[in-house]
Amino acid sequence: MLKVKIINRSHHPLPDYGTFEAAGMDVRAYLPEGSVTLRPMQRALIPTGLYMQLPSGYECQIRPRSGLALKKGLTVLNTPGTIDADYRGEIGIILINLGESDLTVDDGERIAQMVVKEYTKVEWESVERLDRTEREDGAFGHTGTA
């Protein structure tokens, strides 16, 4: 298990896994000044009160919660959002209301999931030609399957 340093300036529990096999940890809104209401198509940066220090070679992805997206139309705007290992500021979640009515986000509400992932750095190799494949340059829908 990977150990990650975290500061929690909210009064809510640390992000946690809902089940043993869950990949994402639920993240809560930290709104000490009161709830935030989003009109349809309105977005807002919702604070969490969390600050973390990821190890080098890791990122934290912020993803929507499927239940909020399906039932309310509330989702993370830049999904997945990326928190880099060298970022030390407060983690904020950009939410958008894609529903048809106003939605209120309350203090302590689970608003997103976070997944900590290892990544690989790449080094570009400029070439004149790429290896051939069966697909070649076929784009979206190229295979004709759903």
Side-chain angles (χ1 to χ4, degrees):
M1 186 160 304
L2 180 70
K3 293 221 182 241
V4 176
K5 294 179 180 179
I6 190 164
I7 296 171
N8 184 359
R9 295 207 173 124
S10 81
H11 51 271
H12 305 299
L14 288 174
D16 61 345
Y17 298 101
T19 65
F20 179 74
E21 295 291 335
M25 294 174 272
D26 290 333
V27 180
R28 298 175 186 274
Y30 177 52
L31 300 168
E33 313 264 325
S35 300
V36 172
T37 298
L38 297 172
R39 296 182 314 276
M41 299 308 294
Q42 185 180 11
R43 63 189 177 271
L45 180 63
I46 306 297
T48 65
L50 301 173
Y51 303 75
M52 71 171 66
Q53 180 179 325
L54 293 166
S56 182
Y58 285 83
E59 66 162 331
C60 180
Q61 297 177 359
I62 302 297
R63 302 176 182 179
R65 293 192 65 233
S66 57
L68 287 178
L70 177 64
K71 296 172 187 170
K72 296 183 177 183
L74 188 66
T75 191
V76 176
L77 186 57
N78 62 324
T79 188
T82 297
I83 300 166
D84 295 310
D86 58 353
Y87 178 69
R88 295 294 185 270
E90 182 177 10
I91 296 168
I93 312 293
I94 305 170
L95 293 181
I96 186 166
N97 177 3
L98 298 178
E100 297 175 0
S101 57
D102 290 359
L103 290 174
T104 299
V105 178
D106 296 315
D107 183 48
E109 183 175 350
R110 296 177 298 153
I111 57 170
Q113 296 184 77
M114 65 170 44
V115 176
V116 176
K117 298 285 294 174
E118 191 172 14
Y119 63 87
T120 302
K121 289 271 198 175
V122 301
E123 181 179 328
W124 295 111
E125 178 184 354
S126 292
V127 297
E128 295 296 322
R129 190 171 312 161
L130 301 176
D131 295 343
R132 300 204 49 131
T133 68
E134 184 178 326
R135 181 177 181 184
E136 292 294 328
D137 63 353
F140 298 102
H142 172 71
T143 62
T145 61

